[in-house]
Amino acid sequence: MPVTELLLLSLLTGSPNLSAEIPFVAAGLPVEVGTLGEPWEEAEGFLRGGGIGRFLRAGRDLGRGDLRVRARLTLERIEGTAASVCIGGASHFGLDGRGRDLFVEGPLFGGPTRSLGPASRHIEAGHPFTLELVRRGTSLVIRIDGTEVHREELAPDLPLGSLQLRPWRGVLRVHELHARGDLLPLPPPLAEDALWISGEGGYHTYRIPALVTTNRGTLLAFCEGRRHGSGDSGDIDLLLRRSDDGGRTWSPSRVILDDGPNTCGNPSPVVDRESGAVILLTTGNDGADREADIIAGRSRDTRRVHLLRSEDDGLTWSGPEEITADTKRPEWTWYATGPGSGIQLRRGPHRGRLVVPCDHIESGTRRYFSHALLSDDGGRSWRIGGRTPRDQVNECAVAELADGTLLLNMRNYDRSRRLRQSARSRDGGESWTGQRFEPGLPEPICQASLIAVPTVSGVHLHFSNPASDRARERMTLRRSLDGGHTWSAEEVLHSGPSAYSSLTHHPERGVLCLFEAGEAHPYEAIVLRAPRPLPRPTAPETRSAPPPDKESP
């Protein structure tokens, strides 16, 4: 289905005025707001909305600097509601009507739901109240009718993102909504940045993006075209679009791999710097076979790995060459390349090696592992590298650090910790050690992307994923200056539903992110965005000592 565009009733343009107060709703009239879900009713003196999936979004995003939001609101009832102010698409301050408590939750507030005590101290059903959110430096203070109800210390330079009012199971009246301070224009509608929009071009759904930059600076964007539905099996083709101008314009979408009614998926491209060739690894199966049947050993066939090669920046491609025997052990059932890009090593004894991250399940189990495929001849032949020490990880991304160590960042199925996992290799991907959870990288069980960008001082890591431990939402870019031990500056690329992503670094455009996103669900479109430049640190990020290279308990 096409992207559901956010309906802006009025959108002011130009740079934000840090002194003037901007009205979003004034005297109950919409001035600069948008709606998601059913429209809000205009009543005398207020906007009125209720129900799950209904949001009122302010016409500016909240930035990194000082700001104040002021709202005059009424909740028509208290019992059974779950109304909230939603910040950044995934963090909430609001009322849990079942327990009749105020609460905060989400990444901005440290993750899990925290009760702030009875709502009856501050809110009475049917009576207006004034809500204020005030940011000063790294402090965020929330007040109701002048009384402080919560204070949160924020990471420096953290943009807050979108501001939405969510009635959820309640009915909310909005009399006034104003803000002043560091306010940012909304990003353009997703349709403006979309390379593929589900429902168009003969495909029901487009999924699984992969993005690389060639030696000549050409951008190649890949995805799966799912012809008849959104599921992972059935008739799925591999598609490609090219850009010769840094992603400003794109060639028409074209099919580069079509196996009739069967499944062709998990595009994993890697560029060989020596020859300039683009090697594309992909995984497929009989279109009638589903993942559960392949894992259980009752499928018609198994997962198979194929290689395609382009010597002219993606204009033409070789026919698919099957390399399953070299890249998949007989006892492995489910198998997937990437998805996302591989890398070529720049340092050490394995300089020039191609490394593509993959995952598999071992026969007779449902134990997911991550592993690497390796090539030392420019991608013409491949072999299996190291497997992670522990299971419950699968789709992964790899980057090379300044000292030649490889960092593997993995989707995590251990729900005792809703965080990414990582492991490291000091032998070019032959083995992996130090598997651990990443405390700065929350995830809702989803693929992510990781790239290393060489700099004068070393390597900067960039990481993208839906940064929520609850749902596929809030596509976020983070940066690490210390080899992935800590993650600093953050940029929310899309505060709404979002899922898989792929990063690349372009010599002119900088870091680019190709990702799945929508307004109602994450698979409405695949869009490309160039994040705003992240702030330069005032001093290098340091650690007293690197963490020990051992597995987490």
Side-chain angles (χ1 to χ4, degrees):
M1 61 181 286
V3 174
T4 304
E5 296 187 15
L6 182 68
L7 172 62
L8 288 182
L9 305 179
S10 172
L11 178 60
L12 302 180
T13 59
S15 60
N17 187 324
L18 299 184
S19 59
E21 188 169 67
I22 296 177
F24 301 127
V25 177
L29 296 175
V31 179
E32 190 182 349
V33 289
T35 60
L36 179 62
E38 294 296 318
W40 286 53
E41 171 191 354
E42 289 189 37
E44 187 173 351
F46 56 84
L47 294 179
R48 183 177 185 271
I52 293 174
R54 189 179 245 182
F55 293 83
L56 189 72
R57 178 171 180 172
R60 303 286 181 95
D61 279 355
L62 309 181
R64 295 182 170 89
D66 293 350
L67 54 86
R68 184 184 75 165
V69 175
R70 177 173 58 87
R72 187 73 171 164
L73 309 171
T74 299
L75 277 169
E76 294 189 2
R77 69 174 190 272
I78 300 297
E79 292 81 3
T81 69
S84 69
V85 177
C86 181
I87 304 172
S91 299
H92 297 267
F93 163 78
L95 167 69
D96 174 8
R98 292 172 178 170
R100 301 188 181 184
D101 283 351
L102 298 177
F103 72 93
V104 291
E105 69 177 19
L108 187 66
F109 300 109
T113 303
R114 285 186 284 160
S115 173
L116 304 180
S120 58
R121 298 174 185 170
H122 309 282
I123 299 174
E124 184 177 352
H127 289 257
F129 61 93
T130 298
L131 173 69
E132 288 181 290
L133 286 77
V134 180
R135 178 175 184 164
R136 292 288 183 268
T138 59
S139 294
L140 178 66
V141 177
I142 302 174
R143 301 189 184 104
I144 295 180
D145 290 333
T147 300
E148 182 175 316
V149 295
H150 185 68
R151 180 182 292 264
E152 190 77 28
E153 288 301 311
L154 309 176
D157 293 319
L158 175 69
L160 298 185
S162 62
L163 173 68
Q164 300 178 81
L165 301 180
R166 182 187 77 153
W168 212 239
R169 297 185 181 89
V171 178
L172 183 66
R173 299 178 185 176
V174 183
H175 309 272
E176 305 281 343
L177 179 60
H178 301 259
R180 68 193 314 162
D182 187 10
L183 306 177
L184 306 173
L186 295 185
L190 288 173
E192 291 186 16
D193 298 331
L195 271 67
W196 290 279
I197 297 177
S198 292
E200 297 183 0
Y203 291 93
H204 180 281
T205 302
Y206 297 98
R207 285 216 55 199
I208 322 299
L211 182 67
V212 291
T213 304
T214 71
N215 283 1
R216 301 174 192 169
T218 302
L219 288 171
L220 303 180
F222 305 85
C223 79
E224 295 181 7
R226 302 185 172 188
R227 192 166 292 279
H228 302 301
S230 61
D232 296 336
S233 60
D235 187 349
I236 299 176
D237 304 331
L238 277 184
L239 311 180
L240 169 69
R241 296 189 71 177
R242 299 175 70 257
S243 175
D244 295 321
D245 58 6
R248 296 175 181 87
T249 62
W250 291 86
S251 68
S253 178
R254 65 187 179 96
V255 177
I256 60 170
L257 185 58
D258 180 353
D259 189 21
N262 298 322
T263 299
C264 306
N266 286 82
S268 300
V270 61
V271 177
D272 176 45
R273 291 189 306 274
E274 303 302 320
S275 66
V278 182
I279 298 95
L280 179 65
L281 299 187
T282 179
T283 329
N285 54 265
D286 188 297
D289 289 338
R290 301 183 182 277
E291 181 176 351
D293 296 322
I294 295 172
I295 293 171
R298 57 175 180 262
S299 56
R300 294 166 54 171
D301 197 8
T302 186
R303 293 278 279 178
R304 297 186 179 277
V305 187
H306 291 87
L307 178 155
L308 291 81
R309 187 179 183 94
S310 176
E311 307 284 354
D312 55 9
D313 273 26
L315 288 171
T316 62
W317 293 84
S318 66
E321 173 190 353
E322 184 173 348
I323 57 171
T324 309
D326 298 324
T327 57
K328 178 172 177 280
R329 301 194 193 285
E331 66 271 20
W332 293 354
T333 55
W334 184 256
Y335 188 100
T337 47
S341 58
I343 63 171
Q344 185 170 40
L345 305 191
R346 297 175 179 271
R347 303 167 183 85
H350 305 291
R351 183 181 182 277
R353 171 176 289 176
L354 303 180
V355 181
V356 170
C358 303
D359 66 86
H360 66 273
I361 288 181
E362 298 181 350
S363 179
T365 75
R366 287 196 62 89
R367 299 178 66 197
Y368 282 103
F369 291 90
S370 300
H371 71 275
L373 293 182
L374 312 176
S375 174
D376 292 308
D377 60 3
R380 299 191 181 281
S381 64
W382 292 83
R383 61 186 177 85
I384 301 168
R387 187 201 76 173
T388 51
R390 297 198 314 277
D391 65 339
Q392 293 189 289
V393 290
N394 66 350
E395 293 172 332
C396 50
V398 65
E400 183 183 18
L401 307 182
D403 64 356
T405 299
L406 301 188
L407 174 63
L408 192 68
N409 187 287
M410 299 167 285
R411 173 172 169 167
N412 167 38
Y413 281 83
D414 182 349
R415 303 325 287 153
S416 67
R417 303 282 296 277
R418 295 178 177 267
L419 301 167
R420 300 287 293 180
Q421 290 198 47
S422 70
R424 298 182 183 238
S425 173
R426 292 184 173 85
D427 55 13
E430 304 281 359
S431 64
W432 301 94
T433 62
Q435 189 170 338
R436 60 182 288 239
F437 294 99
E438 290 294 336
L441 301 178
E443 77 143 12
I445 306 184
C446 191
Q447 179 265 8
S449 184
L450 174 72
I451 60 169
V453 178
T455 67
V456 174
S457 59
V459 164
H460 289 181
L461 295 177
H462 296 261
F463 173 84
S464 62
N465 83 322
S468 168
D469 60 6
R470 303 187 318 159
R472 292 183 172 184
E473 60 189 7
R474 197 170 181 265
M475 181 56 62
T476 302
L477 178 71
R478 286 184 169 87
R479 183 177 64 174
S480 174
L481 308 184
D482 61 2
H485 296 304
T486 60
W487 296 90
S488 56
E490 174 182 299
E491 180 84 17
V492 179
L493 304 182
H494 178 62
S495 60
S498 44
Y500 284 38
S501 61
S502 184
L503 295 170
T504 193
H505 182 262
H506 188 270
E508 295 179 4
R509 298 290 306 280
V511 174
L512 297 171
C513 186
L514 185 68
F515 63 97
E516 302 171 337
E519 299 295 350
H521 66 80
Y523 316 121
E524 295 174 18
I526 294 178
V527 301
L528 179 78
R529 284 199 170 156
R532 291 186 290 267
L534 295 171
R536 293 183 179 275
T538 55
E541 297 180 39
T542 59
R543 294 175 61 93
S544 57
D549 186 17
K550 64 180 181 180
E551 298 181 26
S552 57

